[in-house]
Amino acid sequence: MDLLISTLSETPLHTLLAAFVALVIFAFYSLYAILHLIAPKPRPALPSEKSYITTTPNGTATRQLPCWHDRWLADRQASEIRAQNDDPTQLDIADTGSIDPAEVRMSVVFPAYNEEDRILPTLKEAVEYLDKTFGRDPHPHLRHAQPSRARSPRRHIQNTPQDDLSGYEILVVNDGSKDRTAQVALEFAREHGLHDILRVITLERNRGKGGGVTHGLRHVRGEYALFADADGASKFGDLGKLLEGCEEVVDGANRGVAIGSRGHLVGSEAVVKRSALRNFLMRSFHLVLMILTPPATSRIRDTQCGFKLFSRAALPHIVPYMHAEGWIFDIEMLMLAESAPAVPVLGHDGAVIGSSPGIKVAEVPIDWHEVGGSKLNVIQDSVKMAIGLAVLRASWMMGVYRRRLT
């Protein structure tokens, strides 16, 4: 140690400074290389995963999935080629929110892995609410149309939802289940006449909850898209609260996100009865979340609740850039919403009066109860989530993940 101190004291200052800078650069590129090796890289969808099974009056049918994401991807790639060719006459669609028009009012995505024992009550509750609220006809005659939900005055003119659009769809993403999850869902669809409304998408290999949700959201046709846990822990009727919350925060391009929150339940009997270890890990993870995530995301009390709603215009700014496929995917979604490009804010005369950065997120208190059969390993998955969050945040900060496709 004395020799080291003596050597450092005899070394010129500019040499020490150069050595320090070199060490920092080496550390940066070493970390960059390590992140490239360990950061999650989602696998492409297999051909069979781009089709779905649904019931018909005569049995079942396998059909091609509509996919707004594939068209967006083709347009985006063509746009980047034009940009490389410096063609000023062509529009660069990057981050403009280009997406196919909606065909139904609401899309619901249920990621499901070995859920044959828990998915049936969830589907019953969901269909009862969706039938009552949206009906099954995407374009009902005006005389049969249900009264429209009261809305606040619109502050936007782009991507305005169609007021005459109704109907819904349910996408059950069967994430490589080993049980009868798909069969139970199809039997339910047949009993309730949900032909081509309830669609079962089967992934050949398990991808994780995040992978299942992302895959489902790539194929939604709704003006709004909800993903919900298949265990029914959240009260499905609270979807109305999320719709109201999303409408309150939509920006000039009709982009908005509303998420169910259990933050108000902290201290309640439902939480207190959980094990001390689980509550400790929950608080520790929230502390890590506050430290590692950007400002808007860090202020969210409950990032992990499996009940989140997106306006259709918000999807192209989030879904194509998703990487996380495990439990941490919710946080990446919220970070992507926060970092979405700004859109212009228009005055009453149509003039641009400012800009609105990011996609606003409404955190909405909902009813929730714990359901047995959870696949979450409290200790193991908590550690994985903390590590995954650190890798995720570092990957975005250091440019390993980018809002581009090259």
Side-chain angles (χ1 to χ4, degrees):
M1 180 61 70
D2 292 339
L3 180 60
L4 176 61
I5 295 174
S6 175
T7 302
L8 290 176
S9 63
E10 295 174 1
T11 304
L13 181 61
H14 67 274
T15 303
L16 291 175
L17 183 60
F20 176 75
V21 171
L23 182 61
V24 170
I25 293 174
F26 175 77
F28 176 86
Y29 281 104
S30 296
L31 179 58
Y32 186 81
I34 292 172
L35 286 173
H36 263 290
L37 292 174
I38 65 174
K41 299 175 181 63
R43 66 169 174 83
L46 302 173
S48 66
E49 298 171 346
K50 293 195 173 186
S51 62
Y52 68 94
I53 302 175
T54 189
T55 57
T56 69
N58 301 317
T60 60
T62 300
R63 296 171 180 168
Q64 190 72 16
L65 271 170
C67 187
W68 66 263
H69 179 265
D70 283 354
R71 180 171 298 182
W72 180 93
L73 190 62
D75 289 346
R76 175 68 186 268
Q77 290 171 337
S79 175
E80 291 189 344
I81 292 174
R82 290 195 297 268
Q84 292 172 2
N85 295 333
D86 295 324
D87 186 351
T89 65
Q90 299 295 326
L91 174 67
D92 183 1
I93 71 151
D95 291 324
T96 61
S98 173
I99 189 170
D100 296 345
E103 298 179 27
V104 293
R105 178 64 72 184
M106 179 62 63
S107 294
V108 180
V109 175
F110 286 117
Y113 175 64
N114 293 341
E115 294 287 0
E116 68 169 322
D117 295 329
R118 302 197 298 178
I119 196 170
L120 202 55
T122 303
L123 290 175
K124 288 179 179 177
E125 183 183 2
V127 168
E128 181 179 350
Y129 176 85
L130 294 168
D131 278 345
K132 180 180 178 180
T133 307
F134 304 105
R136 298 188 182 184
D137 187 352
H139 297 284
H141 297 296
L142 292 180
R143 65 177 179 275
H144 293 144
Q146 297 185 11
S148 60
R149 178 173 53 87
R151 297 180 180 181
S152 57
R154 294 196 181 279
R155 304 184 300 277
H156 53 276
I157 61 173
Q158 302 178 40
N159 302 321
T160 303
Q162 305 172 47
D163 289 331
D164 64 341
L165 195 61
S166 188
Y168 68 91
E169 66 177 350
I170 297 175
L171 304 182
V172 176
V173 183
N174 178 29
D175 191 15
S177 298
K178 307 297 184 185
D179 63 1
R180 297 184 66 255
T181 296
Q183 293 88 331
V184 168
L186 290 171
E187 289 168 5
F188 175 84
R190 186 176 298 107
E191 292 172 5
H192 293 81
L194 296 166
H195 308 316
D196 213 32
I197 294 175
L198 192 153
R199 303 175 171 192
V200 176
I201 306 166
T202 295
L203 305 184
E204 290 189 17
R205 299 193 302 273
N206 178 263
R207 297 187 65 166
K209 182 180 175 182
V213 169
T214 301
H215 188 78
L217 290 177
R218 288 177 176 176
H219 301 281
V220 293
R221 298 177 295 140
E223 194 67 68
Y224 295 94
L226 171 82
F227 81 78
D229 289 343
D231 61 7
S234 303
K235 181 183 176 182
F236 204 87
D238 284 337
L239 173 56
K241 297 179 183 178
L242 264 61
L243 280 166
E244 293 176 2
C246 188
E247 182 66 23
E248 286 296 320
V249 299
V250 289
D251 58 22
N254 198 50
R255 307 178 308 176
V257 177
I259 64 174
S261 174
R262 302 160 295 184
H264 63 294
L265 296 175
V266 174
S268 68
E269 184 179 4
V271 174
V272 171
K273 280 187 174 181
R274 298 195 304 187
S275 69
L277 174 61
R278 184 163 185 170
N279 284 327
F280 170 76
L281 291 172
M282 177 186 69
R283 294 187 180 93
S284 299
F285 178 75
H286 188 68
L287 177 62
V288 173
L289 180 73
M290 292 176 62
I291 296 171
L292 292 181
T293 55
T297 303
S298 67
R299 289 193 293 268
I300 294 174
R301 298 181 66 192
D302 184 5
T303 60
Q304 304 306 113
C305 181
F307 203 62
K308 292 181 172 65
L309 179 76
F310 306 83
S311 70
R312 187 170 186 82
L315 296 177
H317 299 284
I318 298 173
V319 174
Y321 306 105
M322 287 292 297
H323 299 88
E325 297 201 319
W327 298 105
I328 207 71
F329 81 99
D330 302 77
I331 297 174
E332 186 172 25
M333 282 185 161
L334 297 172
M335 288 170 53
L336 286 167
E338 181 176 355
S339 63
V343 295
V345 175
L346 307 180
H348 294 293
D349 59 353
V352 177
I353 60 175
S355 63
S356 175
I359 299 173
K360 303 299 185 292
V361 177
E363 189 172 10
V364 181
I366 62 170
D367 289 335
W368 176 87
H369 64 281
E370 191 146 11
V371 178
S374 172
K375 300 171 184 64
L376 179 71
N377 182 307
V378 177
I379 298 178
Q380 181 177 333
D381 288 323
S382 294
V383 173
K384 286 182 178 179
M385 287 170 67
I387 296 173
L389 178 56
V391 171
L392 179 69
R393 184 63 170 139
S395 296
W396 278 104
M397 290 180 65
M398 300 187 68
V400 176
Y401 294 161
R402 300 185 183 185
R403 279 188 177 272
R404 68 180 191 187
L405 303 177
T406 54

